[in-house]
PDB file of all heavy atoms in Angstrom:
ATOM      1  N   HIS A  31      83.252  25.240   0.527  1.00  0.00           N
ATOM      2  CA  HIS A  31      83.524  25.592  -0.959  1.00  0.00           C
ATOM      3  C   HIS A  31      84.992  25.241  -1.267  1.00  0.00           C
ATOM      4  O   HIS A  31      85.259  24.647  -2.343  1.00  0.00           O
ATOM      5  CB  HIS A  31      83.235  27.063  -1.205  1.00  0.00           C
ATOM      6  CG  HIS A  31      83.480  27.542  -2.489  1.00  0.00           C
ATOM      7  ND1 HIS A  31      82.692  27.053  -3.552  1.00  0.00           N
ATOM      8  CD2 HIS A  31      84.571  28.269  -3.053  1.00  0.00           C
ATOM      9  CE1 HIS A  31      83.180  27.649  -4.653  1.00  0.00           C
ATOM     10  NE2 HIS A  31      84.243  28.382  -4.500  1.00  0.00           N
ATOM     11  N   GLY A  54      83.565  21.483  -2.143  1.00  0.00           N
ATOM     12  CA  GLY A  54      82.562  21.625  -3.157  1.00  0.00           C
ATOM     13  C   GLY A  54      82.943  22.310  -4.501  1.00  0.00           C
ATOM     14  O   GLY A  54      82.417  21.896  -5.699  1.00  0.00           O
ATOM     15  N   ARG A  55      83.904  23.171  -4.435  1.00  0.00           N
ATOM     16  CA  ARG A  55      84.323  23.806  -5.778  1.00  0.00           C
ATOM     17  C   ARG A  55      84.889  22.813  -6.637  1.00  0.00           C
ATOM     18  O   ARG A  55      84.666  22.722  -7.913  1.00  0.00           O
ATOM     19  CB  ARG A  55      85.366  24.944  -5.421  1.00  0.00           C
ATOM     20  CG  ARG A  55      86.110  25.425  -6.506  1.00  0.00           C
ATOM     21  CD  ARG A  55      87.267  26.354  -6.182  1.00  0.00           C
ATOM     22  NE  ARG A  55      88.139  25.518  -5.431  1.00  0.00           N
ATOM     23  CZ  ARG A  55      89.111  26.053  -4.648  1.00  0.00           C
ATOM     24  NH1 ARG A  55      89.249  27.298  -4.464  1.00  0.00           N
ATOM     25  NH2 ARG A  55      89.891  25.256  -3.990  1.00  0.00           N
ATOM     26  N   ASP A  56      85.749  21.860  -6.111  1.00  0.00           N
ATOM     27  CA  ASP A  56      86.296  20.716  -6.855  1.00  0.00           C
ATOM     28  C   ASP A  56      85.299  19.828  -7.493  1.00  0.00           C
ATOM     29  O   ASP A  56      85.323  19.269  -8.672  1.00  0.00           O
ATOM     30  CB  ASP A  56      87.269  20.011  -6.129  1.00  0.00           C
ATOM     31  CG  ASP A  56      88.446  20.933  -5.501  1.00  0.00           C
ATOM     32  OD1 ASP A  56      89.123  21.556  -6.387  1.00  0.00           O
ATOM     33  OD2 ASP A  56      88.494  21.112  -4.252  1.00  0.00           O
ATOM     34  N   PHE A  57      84.296  19.491  -6.739  1.00  0.00           N
ATOM     35  CA  PHE A  57      83.220  18.656  -7.143  1.00  0.00           C
ATOM     36  C   PHE A  57      82.435  19.280  -8.273  1.00  0.00           C
ATOM     37  O   PHE A  57      82.126  18.605  -9.311  1.00  0.00           O
ATOM     38  CB  PHE A  57      82.230  18.291  -6.054  1.00  0.00           C
ATOM     39  CG  PHE A  57      82.845  17.544  -4.896  1.00  0.00           C
ATOM     40  CD1 PHE A  57      82.521  17.862  -3.633  1.00  0.00           C
ATOM     41  CD2 PHE A  57      83.989  16.750  -5.049  1.00  0.00           C
ATOM     42  CE1 PHE A  57      83.076  17.246  -2.462  1.00  0.00           C
ATOM     43  CE2 PHE A  57      84.548  16.137  -3.930  1.00  0.00           C
ATOM     44  CZ  PHE A  57      84.076  16.349  -2.589  1.00  0.00           C
ATOM     45  N   THR A  58      82.118  20.589  -8.181  1.00  0.00           N
ATOM     46  CA  THR A  58      81.420  21.376  -9.255  1.00  0.00           C
ATOM     47  C   THR A  58      82.263  21.330 -10.556  1.00  0.00           C
ATOM     48  O   THR A  58      81.800  21.075 -11.611  1.00  0.00           O
ATOM     49  CB  THR A  58      81.052  22.715  -8.857  1.00  0.00           C
ATOM     50  OG1 THR A  58      80.331  22.682  -7.566  1.00  0.00           O
ATOM     51  CG2 THR A  58      80.302  23.478  -9.825  1.00  0.00           C
ATOM     52  N   LYS A  59      83.502  21.552 -10.334  1.00  0.00           N
ATOM     53  CA  LYS A  59      84.483  21.620 -11.462  1.00  0.00           C
ATOM     54  C   LYS A  59      84.506  20.323 -12.157  1.00  0.00           C
ATOM     55  O   LYS A  59      84.496  20.214 -13.416  1.00  0.00           O
ATOM     56  CB  LYS A  59      85.862  22.047 -11.120  1.00  0.00           C
ATOM     57  CG  LYS A  59      86.832  22.196 -12.239  1.00  0.00           C
ATOM     58  CD  LYS A  59      88.180  22.753 -11.819  1.00  0.00           C
ATOM     59  CE  LYS A  59      89.183  22.736 -12.932  1.00  0.00           C
ATOM     60  NZ  LYS A  59      90.526  23.230 -12.492  1.00  0.00           N
ATOM     61  N   ALA A  60      84.536  19.197 -11.422  1.00  0.00           N
ATOM     62  CA  ALA A  60      84.596  17.862 -12.009  1.00  0.00           C
ATOM     63  C   ALA A  60      83.418  17.462 -12.761  1.00  0.00           C
ATOM     64  O   ALA A  60      83.321  16.927 -13.777  1.00  0.00           O
ATOM     65  CB  ALA A  60      84.879  16.825 -10.843  1.00  0.00           C
ATOM     66  N   ILE A  61      82.194  17.969 -12.239  1.00  0.00           N
ATOM     67  CA  ILE A  61      80.933  17.725 -12.932  1.00  0.00           C
ATOM     68  C   ILE A  61      80.909  18.439 -14.207  1.00  0.00           C
ATOM     69  O   ILE A  61      80.498  17.908 -15.223  1.00  0.00           O
ATOM     70  CB  ILE A  61      79.674  18.109 -11.884  1.00  0.00           C
ATOM     71  CG1 ILE A  61      79.691  17.144 -10.811  1.00  0.00           C
ATOM     72  CG2 ILE A  61      78.405  18.144 -12.750  1.00  0.00           C
ATOM     73  CD1 ILE A  61      78.748  17.489  -9.614  1.00  0.00           C
ATOM     74  N   ALA A  62      81.271  19.791 -14.128  1.00  0.00           N
ATOM     75  CA  ALA A  62      81.221  20.553 -15.274  1.00  0.00           C
ATOM     76  C   ALA A  62      82.183  20.058 -16.373  1.00  0.00           C
ATOM     77  O   ALA A  62      81.779  19.935 -17.593  1.00  0.00           O
ATOM     78  CB  ALA A  62      81.604  22.077 -14.987  1.00  0.00           C
ATOM     79  N   THR A  63      83.291  19.478 -15.997  1.00  0.00           N
ATOM     80  CA  THR A  63      84.245  19.052 -17.010  1.00  0.00           C
ATOM     81  C   THR A  63      83.769  17.701 -17.499  1.00  0.00           C
ATOM     82  O   THR A  63      83.738  17.417 -18.795  1.00  0.00           O
ATOM     83  CB  THR A  63      85.629  18.677 -16.302  1.00  0.00           C
ATOM     84  OG1 THR A  63      86.113  19.978 -15.753  1.00  0.00           O
ATOM     85  CG2 THR A  63      86.691  18.071 -17.221  1.00  0.00           C
ATOM     86  N   ARG A  66      80.560  18.399 -19.592  1.00  0.00           N
ATOM     87  CA  ARG A  66      80.778  19.540 -20.574  1.00  0.00           C
ATOM     88  C   ARG A  66      79.499  20.546 -20.394  1.00  0.00           C
ATOM     89  O   ARG A  66      78.923  20.843 -21.428  1.00  0.00           O
ATOM     90  CB  ARG A  66      80.876  19.043 -21.885  1.00  0.00           C
ATOM     91  CG  ARG A  66      82.104  18.101 -22.276  1.00  0.00           C
ATOM     92  CD  ARG A  66      82.316  17.848 -23.682  1.00  0.00           C
ATOM     93  NE  ARG A  66      83.580  17.087 -23.844  1.00  0.00           N
ATOM     94  CZ  ARG A  66      83.685  15.821 -24.102  1.00  0.00           C
ATOM     95  NH1 ARG A  66      82.452  15.087 -24.190  1.00  0.00           N
ATOM     96  NH2 ARG A  66      84.742  15.232 -24.328  1.00  0.00           N
ATOM     97  N   CYS A  67      79.360  20.869 -19.125  1.00  0.00           N
ATOM     98  CA  CYS A  67      78.276  21.929 -18.931  1.00  0.00           C
ATOM     99  C   CYS A  67      78.812  23.123 -18.316  1.00  0.00           C
ATOM    100  O   CYS A  67      79.978  23.171 -17.887  1.00  0.00           O
ATOM    101  CB  CYS A  67      77.099  21.268 -18.146  1.00  0.00           C
ATOM    102  SG  CYS A  67      77.587  20.698 -16.502  1.00  0.00           S
ATOM    103  N   ASP A  68      78.018  24.147 -18.181  1.00  0.00           N
ATOM    104  CA  ASP A  68      78.511  25.436 -17.540  1.00  0.00           C
ATOM    105  C   ASP A  68      78.498  25.214 -15.996  1.00  0.00           C
ATOM    106  O   ASP A  68      77.911  24.235 -15.467  1.00  0.00           O
ATOM    107  CB  ASP A  68      77.690  26.550 -17.995  1.00  0.00           C
ATOM    108  CG  ASP A  68      76.252  26.544 -17.526  1.00  0.00           C
ATOM    109  OD1 ASP A  68      75.884  25.731 -16.749  1.00  0.00           O
ATOM    110  OD2 ASP A  68      75.423  27.196 -18.204  1.00  0.00           O
ATOM    111  N   TRP A  69      79.174  26.317 -15.248  1.00  0.00           N
ATOM    112  CA  TRP A  69      79.266  26.143 -13.858  1.00  0.00           C
ATOM    113  C   TRP A  69      77.881  26.045 -13.155  1.00  0.00           C
ATOM    114  O   TRP A  69      77.769  25.203 -12.279  1.00  0.00           O
ATOM    115  CB  TRP A  69      80.049  27.255 -13.356  1.00  0.00           C
ATOM    116  CG  TRP A  69      80.494  27.279 -11.897  1.00  0.00           C
ATOM    117  CD1 TRP A  69      79.683  27.827 -10.878  1.00  0.00           C
ATOM    118  CD2 TRP A  69      81.590  26.568 -11.442  1.00  0.00           C
ATOM    119  NE1 TRP A  69      80.384  27.410  -9.638  1.00  0.00           N
ATOM    120  CE2 TRP A  69      81.531  26.687  -9.989  1.00  0.00           C
ATOM    121  CE3 TRP A  69      82.685  25.924 -11.967  1.00  0.00           C
ATOM    122  CZ2 TRP A  69      82.507  26.293  -9.177  1.00  0.00           C
ATOM    123  CZ3 TRP A  69      83.623  25.398 -11.094  1.00  0.00           C
ATOM    124  CH2 TRP A  69      83.536  25.573  -9.724  1.00  0.00           C
ATOM    125  N   ALA A  70      76.862  26.881 -13.568  1.00  0.00           N
ATOM    126  CA  ALA A  70      75.597  26.972 -12.931  1.00  0.00           C
ATOM    127  C   ALA A  70      74.795  25.643 -13.067  1.00  0.00           C
ATOM    128  O   ALA A  70      74.291  25.145 -12.070  1.00  0.00           O
ATOM    129  CB  ALA A  70      74.748  27.983 -13.457  1.00  0.00           C
ATOM    130  N   SER A  71      74.990  25.001 -14.229  1.00  0.00           N
ATOM    131  CA  SER A  71      74.335  23.632 -14.416  1.00  0.00           C
ATOM    132  C   SER A  71      75.029  22.675 -13.560  1.00  0.00           C
ATOM    133  O   SER A  71      74.303  21.713 -12.903  1.00  0.00           O
ATOM    134  CB  SER A  71      74.440  23.251 -15.819  1.00  0.00           C
ATOM    135  OG  SER A  71      73.717  24.136 -16.781  1.00  0.00           O
ATOM    136  N   ALA A  72      76.315  22.676 -13.459  1.00  0.00           N
ATOM    137  CA  ALA A  72      77.037  21.765 -12.630  1.00  0.00           C
ATOM    138  C   ALA A  72      76.732  21.847 -11.119  1.00  0.00           C
ATOM    139  O   ALA A  72      76.478  20.865 -10.324  1.00  0.00           O
ATOM    140  CB  ALA A  72      78.582  21.895 -12.834  1.00  0.00           C
ATOM    141  N   GLU A  73      76.613  23.059 -10.621  1.00  0.00           N
ATOM    142  CA  GLU A  73      76.192  23.470  -9.332  1.00  0.00           C
ATOM    143  C   GLU A  73      74.825  22.817  -9.080  1.00  0.00           C
ATOM    144  O   GLU A  73      74.530  22.292  -7.955  1.00  0.00           O
ATOM    145  CB  GLU A  73      76.270  24.906  -9.251  1.00  0.00           C
ATOM    146  CG  GLU A  73      77.000  25.733  -8.162  1.00  0.00           C
ATOM    147  CD  GLU A  73      77.565  25.004  -7.012  1.00  0.00           C
ATOM    148  OE1 GLU A  73      77.015  24.919  -5.951  1.00  0.00           O
ATOM    149  OE2 GLU A  73      78.768  24.815  -7.137  1.00  0.00           O
ATOM    150  N   ALA A  74      73.849  23.065 -10.024  1.00  0.00           N
ATOM    151  CA  ALA A  74      72.555  22.551  -9.831  1.00  0.00           C
ATOM    152  C   ALA A  74      72.511  20.999  -9.747  1.00  0.00           C
ATOM    153  O   ALA A  74      71.731  20.456  -8.950  1.00  0.00           O
ATOM    154  CB  ALA A  74      71.647  23.077 -10.869  1.00  0.00           C
ATOM    155  N   LEU A  75      73.320  20.372 -10.530  1.00  0.00           N
ATOM    156  CA  LEU A  75      73.403  18.928 -10.529  1.00  0.00           C
ATOM    157  C   LEU A  75      74.095  18.457  -9.219  1.00  0.00           C
ATOM    158  O   LEU A  75      73.716  17.309  -8.706  1.00  0.00           O
ATOM    159  CB  LEU A  75      74.222  18.422 -11.637  1.00  0.00           C
ATOM    160  CG  LEU A  75      73.498  18.598 -13.025  1.00  0.00           C
ATOM    161  CD1 LEU A  75      74.442  18.307 -14.215  1.00  0.00           C
ATOM    162  CD2 LEU A  75      72.309  17.589 -13.112  1.00  0.00           C
ATOM    163  N   LYS A  76      74.990  19.160  -8.680  1.00  0.00           N
ATOM    164  CA  LYS A  76      75.678  18.736  -7.449  1.00  0.00           C
ATOM    165  C   LYS A  76      74.680  18.768  -6.315  1.00  0.00           C
ATOM    166  O   LYS A  76      74.607  17.984  -5.614  1.00  0.00           O
ATOM    167  CB  LYS A  76      76.879  19.686  -7.180  1.00  0.00           C
ATOM    168  CG  LYS A  76      77.486  19.259  -5.904  1.00  0.00           C
ATOM    169  CD  LYS A  76      78.669  20.253  -5.713  1.00  0.00           C
ATOM    170  CE  LYS A  76      78.253  21.596  -5.191  1.00  0.00           C
ATOM    171  NZ  LYS A  76      79.225  22.566  -4.860  1.00  0.00           N
TER     172      LYS A  76
END
Side-chain angles (χ1 to χ4, degrees):
H31 180 69
R55 172 188 61 195
D56 302 296
F57 302 143
T58 304
K59 184 177 178 182
I61 292 167
T63 300
R66 295 186 177 108
C67 64
D68 63 20
W69 189 267
S71 297
E73 237 346 271
L75 289 167
K76 180 177 74 173

